[in-house]
Amino acid sequence: MKTFLKSGLRRILVPGLCLFAAGFLWSGSAGAQSVVDAAKKEGKVVIYGSLESGIMDELEKAFTRKYGIGIDYFRAASNKTLDRVLTEHRADRTLSDVVVTNRGPMLLLKQDKIFARYVSPESVNFPEDVRDPDGLLSPIYRMVIVGILYNTKLVKPEDAPKSLDDLLTPKWRGKWVMPDPSRHFTTGVWVRNLEVFYGKDWLEFAKKMAASRPILVESFIPSVQKVISGEALAGITYVKYVYIFGKEGAPLDYVRLPRMLADGHNAGITAKAPHPNAAKLFVDFLISREGMEIMAKEGEFVTAKGLYPPIKDAEKIQAVPMDELDQHEYKKWSAEFRKLFVVR
């Protein structure tokens, strides 16, 4: 029997990119003056997370220009971000002020009492069902959609896979890439959530995936990099990389699957943040309309109404929020996926 963490996401098909945004009107602006003044005295904010460095660069430019406060950013895959935050917490040497990563790791960190309570004034602009009832996490501000990307120089559109099942045919055996679901937290959750599409046969499908000999990598960025380089013809990774790497000339497109699994992202302020006011100010800015506009422009699927990434047909994507695994369930399936995908 599967055990899911309470995700705060409705288990429904989410049409288009107005992901949770009925009645999503913006009021107010990031940063009450008292917080701004205290944050400026602290001088900087230290952030750990999996938000792509290029996107954080754009957020930092706007944040620093607005408030004169710098950002120190450590970026890693969600599982490595999780490990680093936990290691520092257990050693009582917290160096980060803010954590921004996938919802699963954030919920695990929340269970370990990593975060301080902070309800940003910007939270009122989000529907209740994406807000954290305990006030320990920000509202879900973006969704990362997992799909199939392929190399357009090596694969003609008519020859690209049309479904996940297509990847399992002999034609694609050993020619596609995915993060190792036994090591990469989000991919493990993604594989487990295939039950949404395959029902009770989801595990049989996972076994077939493993049998088709995918190239296994550490996380979603190495996955898309393998596709770009031609080491793999196609791969499981984030749809947003079509834009993020495509604007640099990468030959990428994504398969228009009828539905795709998506993972929510939150931000949280660490309970022992060295720069707590700068942390509050950054979270305010991140989930403000200005922050949402920056992220959408950079290819993110944000939860703000009417904002779309510059990706063809983005508004047509049907995103299905993933349920998150609790710690026990993730460990269980991580071990099972290792047997399937790694130990052959």
Side-chain angles (χ1 to χ4, degrees):
M1 179 179 180
K2 88 181 154 183
T3 305
F4 284 126
L5 289 170
K6 186 177 180 182
S7 68
L9 296 178
R10 293 166 289 180
R11 167 50 81 201
I12 60 171
L13 183 67
V14 183
L17 297 194
C18 296
L19 287 169
F20 309 98
F24 199 16
L25 302 175
W26 231 272
S27 61
S29 60
Q33 192 58 46
S34 59
V35 174
V36 173
D37 292 342
K40 286 182 176 180
K41 290 179 182 177
E42 292 170 352
K44 70 176 181 178
V45 59
V46 178
I47 303 169
Y48 291 178
S50 56
L51 191 68
E52 284 71 19
S53 297
I55 295 169
M56 184 60 79
D57 287 345
E58 293 304 311
L59 289 167
E60 180 179 10
K61 286 177 191 175
F63 180 75
T64 302
R65 184 169 58 245
K66 189 168 188 174
Y67 298 114
I69 298 169
I71 292 175
D72 288 349
Y73 184 48
F74 165 79
R75 192 209 171 271
S78 57
N79 52 307
K80 288 198 170 182
T81 299
L82 173 72
D83 291 343
R84 181 165 178 149
V85 174
L86 285 174
T87 298
E88 289 184 5
H89 173 72
R90 288 164 183 167
D92 197 23
R93 292 188 68 247
T94 297
L95 301 178
S96 63
D97 300 305
V98 178
V99 183
V100 287
T101 192
N102 308 58
R103 187 149 178 80
M106 292 297 284
L107 290 172
L108 293 177
L109 291 172
K110 178 183 171 182
Q111 285 184 340
D112 276 342
K113 304 186 186 306
I114 298 295
F115 299 118
R117 190 176 190 278
Y118 178 63
V119 180
S120 168
E122 300 292 331
S123 297
V124 299
N125 299 310
F126 291 78
E128 250 186 74
D129 58 1
V130 298
R131 299 185 217 168
D132 180 28
D134 304 310
L136 294 167
L137 301 176
S138 76
I140 296 163
Y141 64 89
R142 69 168 178 156
M143 297 292 289
V144 284
I145 299 173
V146 181
I148 303 172
L149 271 59
Y150 64 94
N151 186 311
T152 56
K153 283 187 176 179
L154 302 176
V155 181
K156 296 177 181 178
E158 60 269 25
D159 296 330
K162 302 300 186 290
S163 66
L164 288 170
D165 297 81
D166 278 358
L167 286 177
L168 311 190
T169 61
K171 170 184 174 180
W172 290 94
R173 182 178 172 86
K175 297 177 181 178
W176 62 282
V177 60
M178 69 180 289
D180 179 354
S182 72
R183 293 192 300 138
H184 187 242
F185 190 98
T186 306
T187 304
V189 174
W190 179 80
V191 173
R192 183 62 188 86
N193 272 264
L194 290 174
E195 183 178 3
V196 174
F197 302 147
Y198 295 96
K200 60 183 177 59
D201 296 324
W202 77 270
L203 185 55
E204 285 305 309
F205 182 80
K207 291 177 181 178
K208 291 177 183 176
M209 287 180 74
S212 68
R213 299 282 176 161
I215 301 164
L216 298 179
V217 292
E218 182 182 356
S219 63
F220 286 127
I221 285 184
S223 185
V224 72
Q225 287 171 336
K226 292 282 188 186
V227 177
I228 293 169
S229 70
E231 295 174 71
L233 300 181
I236 302 297
T237 188
Y238 289 147
V239 171
K240 65 182 179 180
Y241 291 156
V242 167
Y243 172 74
I244 292 173
F245 291 96
K247 67 181 180 180
E248 300 171 359
L252 292 171
D253 199 3
Y254 71 100
V255 177
R256 272 54 165 186
L257 299 174
R259 297 188 297 168
M260 291 182 245
L261 292 169
D263 197 13
H265 274 230
N266 302 90
I269 297 173
T270 54
K272 296 184 178 181
H275 312 97
N277 293 290
K280 291 176 184 177
L281 191 62
F282 176 79
V283 170
D284 291 348
F285 180 79
L286 178 72
I287 66 173
S288 70
R289 184 71 180 190
E290 185 176 357
M292 295 284 99
E293 288 173 347
I294 290 169
M295 283 189 283
K297 185 180 177 182
E298 291 299 311
E300 291 295 329
F301 293 82
V302 299
T303 57
K305 185 177 183 179
L307 293 180
Y308 301 94
I311 295 172
K312 189 175 181 181
D313 299 325
E315 73 281 358
K316 298 177 183 178
I317 289 177
Q318 302 291 312
V320 181
M322 294 194 291
D323 282 320
E324 303 294 348
L325 300 178
D326 68 19
Q327 200 162 18
H328 170 76
E329 198 73 2
Y330 176 73
K331 286 182 179 178
K332 168 190 169 184
W333 286 110
S334 177
E336 288 299 315
F337 295 152
R338 180 170 178 77
K339 293 175 187 175
L340 290 181
F341 287 87
V342 182
V343 182
R344 295 166 175 162

